[in-house]
Amino acid sequence: MLTFYLAKGTVAVAVAILLEELGVPHHRRIVDFATEGQRSPDYLSLNPKGRVPAIATEDGVLTETGAILAYLAEAHGSAFLPDDLVTRAHVREVMFYLASTMHVAHAHKMRGARWADRPESWQDMAAKVPDTMADCCRYLEDALAFAPFAVGAEPTIADFYLFAVVRWAEGDGVTLTDTPRLSEWFEMMSERPSVRKLITEGEVL
Ligand SMILES: N[C@@H](CCC(=O)N[C@@H](CS)C(=O)NCC(=O)O)C(=O)O
């Protein structure tokens, strides 16, 4: 059985949603950020990057949200992946954007020490987060189909990844109602049974 390593409210939420949607039996292991569990020797031996999510499969450990989502989707008959080549490329386009740009923008709020040594530099980085996250939301507002899902009529793994990241926007000082299409999509995703279940359980969301 899969073992899924996560911390509450992190990007690992995307994987948690997909596991629920697919009904994949798995063990959950909560990595306790409060005690720096992500940097414990045990966890680093599993994922040397010291990040979540990670999954341990019978074929080894996988990390990176987008890679895990694609692996799980493909392992289950390409569920939540469009058949059409170009639409599937748009799914990856969204996920790469989230990994390379929007998640990194968000990380500047709490993780400035990754990039700079001086506390005043961290403050400067954190102060920029409402702007950079708002820019990301505006980009998504204009670029995505929202028809009603991110890339078309059916939900894809890009929706689950996007949900995990857009959840951070309000806390990062962004008013989601400024981007009405994104906001409406977010409300719709919040009502999915998988998401409601995770909220009710309270361990992941
Ligand atoms: N590119 C990675 C980023 C993972 C990542 O940075 N996760 C954060 C939580 S949202 C984390 O584990 N942070 C712990 C730390 O920085 O110590 C992915 O998408 O899986």
Side-chain angles (χ1 to χ4, degrees):
M1 196 186 291
L2 282 178
T3 306
F4 169 36
Y5 296 84
L6 70 148
K8 187 172 178 173
T10 64
V11 71
V13 162
V15 174
I17 296 171
L18 180 60
L19 287 168
E20 282 302 325
E21 295 268 352
L22 292 171
V24 177
H26 60 281
H27 298 296
R28 259 187 216 155
R29 293 278 182 277
I30 304 290
V31 179
D32 184 6
F33 279 14
T35 58
E36 296 274 298
Q38 73 273 35
R39 284 182 246 291
S40 69
D42 275 0
Y43 190 70
L44 288 175
S45 69
L46 182 99
N47 179 5
K49 288 179 275 194
R51 307 278 181 94
V52 295
I55 58 168
T57 76
E58 56 189 22
D59 299 316
V61 174
L62 277 173
T63 63
E64 295 300 321
T65 308
I68 294 170
L69 292 174
Y71 166 82
L72 290 171
E74 283 167 352
H76 293 85
S78 290
F80 300 108
L81 283 171
D83 293 335
D84 173 66
L85 189 66
V86 174
T87 316
R88 197 178 280 213
H90 283 309
V91 167
R92 288 193 209 104
E93 187 179 29
V94 173
M95 298 202 304
F96 289 162
Y97 175 74
L98 295 173
S100 65
T101 304
M102 195 166 179
H103 190 164
V104 177
H106 165 78
H108 278 66
K109 186 165 85 173
M110 301 293 288
R111 303 285 185 198
R114 278 186 202 157
W115 296 283
D117 290 326
R118 288 180 301 160
E120 41 300 9
S121 304
W122 307 339
Q123 281 170 13
D124 216 16
M125 281 188 246
K128 190 80 180 158
V129 169
D131 288 346
T132 51
M133 286 294 277
D135 285 349
C136 292
C137 288
R138 270 191 297 273
Y139 163 72
L140 294 166
E141 174 81 358
D142 295 339
L144 297 189
F146 297 123
F149 295 100
V151 301
E154 301 297 331
T156 70
I157 53 175
D159 289 282
F160 307 142
Y161 199 156
L162 187 61
F163 182 79
V165 174
V166 170
R167 273 188 77 245
W168 299 328
E170 297 271 359
D172 287 350
V174 178
T175 309
L176 216 47
T177 47
D178 290 347
T179 48
R181 299 170 74 236
L182 182 64
S183 179
E184 197 178 324
W185 165 89
F186 185 76
E187 293 307 318
M188 177 188 71
M189 291 299 294
S190 303
E191 293 307 319
R192 282 186 81 78
S194 57
V195 173
R196 299 289 340 149
K197 180 167 180 277
L198 291 170
I199 290 171
T200 306
E201 284 175 6
E203 197 176 43
V204 177
L205 263 168

